Amino acid sequence: MIFIIALGANIIWVAELDQAEQSEQAAALSEIAIMQSHALESRIRENLAVSYAVAAHIKEKHGEAAQFQQFANALIPFYPGVAAIYLAPGGITSVVIPKERGEVGLGLNLLTNPKHETESRIALQSGQLTLAGPLPLLVGKTGLIGRLPVFLPSEAGDARFWGFISVIIEMDKLIASTEVPLLSQRGYEYQIWRRQPNDGEVQIIHRSEGYSGAPAVSHRFALPNTEWYFDLKSAGKTNPILHYGRYMVGLILSLMLTILIRMLATNWGQKKQLHSLVKERTRELAETEQDLKRAQAISHTGNWSAPLSGAHFKGSEEAFRIWRLDTGIQVNKEILLSKVHADDRAKVTECWQKACAGQPASAEYRLVFDEEIRWVHSELTFEIHPTEGRRLIGTTQDITSRKRVENDLRIAAIAFEGQEGIVITDEQRKILRINQAFTRITGYSRGESVGKTTSLLKSGIHGGSFYKDMAEQLDSKGVWQGEIWNRRKNGEIYPEWLTITAIRSESGDVVNYVGTMLDITQRKATEAKLEHLAYHDPLTGLANRRLLLNRLQHAMVSNTRSNRFGAILFLDLDNFKTINDTSGHGKGDLILQHVAKRLQARTGKGDTLARIGGDEFALIIEDLSDQIRDSVIEVKSIANQILEEIKKPFTIEGQHFHTTASLGIELFGASHTSAEELLRQVEVAMYEAKSAGGDNACFFDPAMLNIIAARAEMEADLRNGLRQHEFRLFYQAQVNSTGKWLGAEALLRWQHPQKGMVSPAEFIPLAEETGLIVPIGKWVLHQACAQLALWQTDPAYAAMTMSVNVSAKQFRQDDFVDTVLEAVTQHQIQPGSLKLELTESLLLDNVEQTITRMHILRSYGICFSLDDFGTGYSSLTYLKRLPLEQLKIDQSFVRDILVNPSDAAIVRTIVGLGKSLGLSVIAEGVEQESQRSFLQTLDCHAYQGYLFGKPSATLSLPQRGNSTAELHA
C-alpha cells in the first residue's frame, strides 16, 4: 500500500514538476518573442513613415516632383534604415533617391509587373500603405518595399490617383538594427515568416542557423496589409534520462526508503538549479526590455494600449515622456485629448473612431505643453486581447525635428521662387533646375532649359576672354559677380546683374553652380536717360557742346588713323534775335526745333549734329575723301543744301517765318590737335560768312576758297556749255564674232572753248551732283535718236541699234518715261533699235519703281542693257524680274582675262548667267584679237572696244543731221 501511495505521489509530483518547468520556459519565450516582434514592427513602421512625409510634399506641390530630389536628400538622413525612395507617377517608377542607384528600378509599371502587381493593387484599392516582401532587389540584396498610393484632389472635388511612393528597406540592415541576431548567442532558435497574399504559401523571412522543428511560442504582429509571425524556442533539448529517471526514482523509492530519501535530496538540488535558470531567463527578459526602451528613446517612439472598456492607458516610458506625464500615472483618452492642439482635436477624434471601427488609422497632430508645441505621429489598430478584451494599441512618435526640416525646406522653396532668377547647374554647367523668375526674365520654361547648358543665354556680345576671366575667378574665389548681356528666348538682348557661386563637395571638387540674376534693363534705361540729359540739349534733343567736343576729338583721332579728312560746320541763324523780340521766345524755341529737324534730315549716318547755344548749331562730318579737293567739294555741297533748307519758310501756329543762316566750315585731318581750337576756328569762319551778308558759307582756310571757286567755275561752264552746244556725241562700234556691226554706243564728250576736250571723268560727277546730268542726258537722248533716224534711212544700216547711257538720277525723274517716248516719236525711230544702258547702282534704291518704269518702256519695244555688269551689287532676285535684253561685261574683267583666272571665271559666269536668263551678252574694252578669241571660246559673240575702232563722231556712216532738240540747263 505504501509502495502504491509513494508511487502515485511520485508520478503526480514528477508530472507537476515538468508542467511547471514548461510553463516558465513558455512564459519567458513568449515575452522575448513579443519584445522582439514589437522592436521589429517599430523599426519597420519608423522607416515606412518617410513615405508620409514624401506624400505630403507631393500633395503640397500639387503633384509636381521637380523639387523631390532636394527634399528627399534633406529628409533621408533622418531614416537611416531606408535604402531608397522611388516615385512612380501613374504607377511607373521614374525618380529614385539616392542618385547612386542610377537607372536601377526605373521604368517599372507597378500595376502590371508580376513581382509587384499584387501589393500595388491592394494599396491602390485600399488607399493605404502596403508592405511587400521580402523580395530580391535589383541591386542584389533582399528587402521590403512599402508602397503608399497618393491621391490628389481633382477639379470635380473627388480624389484622383497620382501614383505610388515606394520605400526600399534592406532586410540585412533591418535585422541588424534589432537584437534578433543576438538570440542565437543567448541559446535561442527563431524564425520570422509570413503567408504570401497571392497564394497563402509560407514565406520564411529570416531564421537562425540550424532552426528546425515546431516552435515553442509563436507571436503574430500586424504590418500594413500583412501579418508576420515570430517563432521562438530554446536551443537546448529536454534530457530524456532525467525525465524517465524521475519515474525510476519514484519506483525505486517505493521499493526502498533509503533510495527514496536519496532521490528526494537529488530532487531538491534539481529544483534549485531550475530556479537559477528561471532567474537567468528573467534577467535576460529585463535586458530585452531595457533594449526596447533604448530603441524607443532613440527613435522617439512609444507604444501604448487602451482598453475600450474605459480602463486607463498602458504605455512605455517613451510614450509617457512624449506625453510629458510621469510613468505610471493613470491616463485616459480625455487627459491626452486635452493636450492636443485645439485645431487638431477633430482630426485625432476621427482617427480614434476609425481605429475603433477596425480600420488601420494614423494621424499627425500637435501637442501643447505650456509655451512649447511638439508634433507627433500616431498609428492605431484594433485588437481583442485575451484578458482586456476589445482595445486599441498604437505607437506615438515625436516628429518635431522632421517637421522643422520640412518647414525649413518649405521656406527654402518659397525663397527659391523669389523675384531673382535662379538657375542651378552641374559642374559642366548643364541646367538642373530653374525658378519662375528665371522663366520670366529669359522666356525659357523648365522644359526648354533643363538639360541644356547655360550657353543658350549667350548674346554673342562678350568674347572668349570675358568667359575665361569668369571661369578663372570662379575657380580661385568660388564666386563671380558682374553685369552681363544675355539673350532672351525671343532673341532680345538685355542686361542683367549676375552672381554665380560654385558649390564644392567635401573633397573640394565643384559639384554645382548656383546663379542668381536680376534684369537691369530698366536701370540701364534710367542711366541712359540721365546720360542723355547730361550730353544733350533739352530743347531739341541734339548733342550739346560737351558731347560735341567729345565726338570732335574722337573724330580727329579716327580720321588721323584712316588718313581721311573730316569737317565741322558751324551754323548761326541770321537775324534770329528779331524773331525772338517780335514774336516771343516761345515761337523762337519752336523755330529752333524745326531747324534741328531740318538739319537732322541732312545729317548722314555716323555724323554728329549739336546745338551749342542760342541759335548756334554745329555739324561734324566724318570719313570724307582722302583727297582734299574731293572733301572740299562734298562739304560745300552739304553746306549749300543746309542753307537752302534754312531759307524755306517755317510755319508756326499759322504764321510764316523766314530766316537764313551763316555757315563756317573747317576741314580737319592729322594737323589739328585740339577740338576746342578747331571749334574756335570754324566759329571764326562762321562770323566771316555772316560779315559777308549772311546766307553764306565760308571756309576757315582761304586756300580752300580757290578750290570752291574752281568747282563753281566748272559748274558755270557746264551750264554755259549746254546753252552754247559745246557737247558732242561720239560713237563706238559694237560687232559680232564675224565682224558684222550690230550697232554703236553713244559717248558724251565736252569741247570746251578754252580747255579743249574735257574728259567725262572730270565733269560727269559734277553734273550728277548738281543735277545738270538731267538736261544733259535729255540732250544726249535726242541727239542719239536723231543719228539713229539717219541710219534707218539706209537699208544697209537699218538693223543697227543705238546704245545710250542713262544715269540713275535721270532715270528717277518723274517724267523720264515721257521724255524717252517723246524722243522716239519726235525722231520717228523704231523703238526696238534704241537700247538704254543702265548701271547696277540704279537697283540699290526704289527697285519696284525702277522695274515698273522699265516694263512700261519695254512694252513700247525699247530695249535695256545692264552696263558694267559684275562691278555692282545686283540681286539675282531683282535681276530676273527686269525686262533686260542684254548684259554688258565691264572692261575691268576683259582687260586681264588672259592672265587672271579670276577674271576669266567671272566672265564665264556672266555668260552662263546671261544664257540661263535668255539674255545676250556683250563685252566692252576688247583691244586684242586674243581677247576676242578667248571670249568667243566662252560663248560670248558680241564685242566693243579699240580692236574694232576708237570712238568717233561718224563711224564712217552717213553724217547725222543737225538735231532740232533744244536743251537748256
Side-chain angles (χ1 to χ4, degrees), residues 489-759:
K489 179 184 176 181
N490 62 8
E492 176 189 354
I493 296 176
Y494 70 100
E496 72 177 27
W497 185 259
L498 177 63
T499 301
I500 304 176
T501 304
I503 308 300
R504 299 183 183 274
S505 63
E506 294 181 356
S507 61
D509 297 327
V510 174
V511 293
N512 293 100
Y513 292 100
V514 177
T516 59
M517 59 185 69
L518 278 175
D519 188 340
I520 59 173
T521 304
Q522 187 60 43
R523 191 185 81 186
K524 298 291 285 186
T526 301
E527 292 174 356
K529 184 175 181 180
L530 292 175
E531 183 179 5
H532 185 273
L533 291 175
Y535 287 96
H536 291 80
D537 171 47
L539 177 64
T540 62
L542 300 179
N544 58 16
R545 185 184 185 91
R546 180 181 179 185
L547 181 57
L548 175 73
L549 290 172
N550 182 285
R551 295 273 182 87
L552 182 57
Q553 190 65 47
H554 180 273
M556 294 168 64
V557 174
S558 176
N559 284 25
T560 299
R561 291 175 182 161
S562 63
N563 292 321
R564 302 180 76 88
F565 285 95
I568 179 169
L569 283 67
F570 194 109
L571 180 147
D572 182 85
L573 298 179
D574 298 328
N575 303 316
F576 183 72
K577 184 176 182 299
T578 303
I579 297 176
N580 266 340
D581 293 341
T582 58
S583 302
H585 289 276
K587 286 189 172 60
D589 287 345
L590 292 175
I591 291 176
L592 291 175
Q593 291 174 343
H594 280 72
V595 169
K597 291 180 180 179
R598 292 186 182 182
L599 292 176
Q600 283 178 313
R602 294 292 180 180
T603 301
K605 185 178 180 181
D607 298 339
T608 300
L609 178 63
R611 178 180 175 229
I612 55 179
D615 58 348
E616 295 177 338
F617 297 84
L619 173 63
I620 302 173
I621 303 174
E622 299 187 52
D623 203 27
L624 295 173
S625 173
D626 57 355
Q627 299 296 319
I628 190 170
R629 178 181 180 278
D630 295 338
S631 299
V632 169
I633 293 173
E634 184 175 353
V635 173
K636 180 60 176 177
S637 174
I638 294 173
N640 289 336
Q641 294 173 20
I642 291 174
L643 292 175
E644 290 299 320
E645 282 291 331
I646 299 300
K647 283 193 290 187
K648 295 177 182 179
F650 296 91
T651 302
I652 308 295
E653 298 178 355
Q655 280 185 276
H656 297 292
F657 296 88
H658 297 270
T659 186
T660 57
S662 298
L663 267 175
I665 307 172
E666 171 70 313
L667 294 183
F668 58 84
S671 60
H672 292 90
T673 58
S674 168
E676 287 280 4
E677 176 189 359
L678 190 60
L679 191 58
R680 284 195 299 269
Q681 291 177 356
V682 74
E683 187 175 6
V684 169
M686 181 273 296
Y687 283 115
E688 290 180 1
K690 191 175 286 289
S691 64
D695 191 22
N696 190 18
C698 180
F699 281 86
F700 175 76
D701 187 352
M704 297 296 122
L705 297 178
N706 296 331
I707 298 174
I708 298 299
R711 181 177 179 276
E713 181 184 354
M714 178 174 284
E715 181 178 344
D717 288 348
L718 277 173
R719 297 181 186 276
N720 187 63
L722 272 173
R723 290 191 295 267
Q724 301 299 324
H725 304 290
E726 296 174 359
F727 292 101
R728 302 287 184 270
L729 278 189
F730 280 37
Y731 305 94
Q732 187 171 33
Q734 296 177 339
V735 303
N736 63 12
S737 56
T738 63
K740 178 182 178 181
W741 287 9
L742 303 174
E745 179 182 2
L747 302 173
L748 180 64
R749 296 293 185 264
W750 182 14
Q751 184 67 49
H752 195 278
Q754 286 82 34
K755 300 177 182 178
M757 193 68 72
V758 180
S759 169

Side-chain angles (χ1 to χ4, degrees), residues 3 298 368 590 592 690 756 963:
F3 174 78
I298 292 172
V368 181
L590 292 175
L592 291 175
K690 191 175 286 289
S963 173

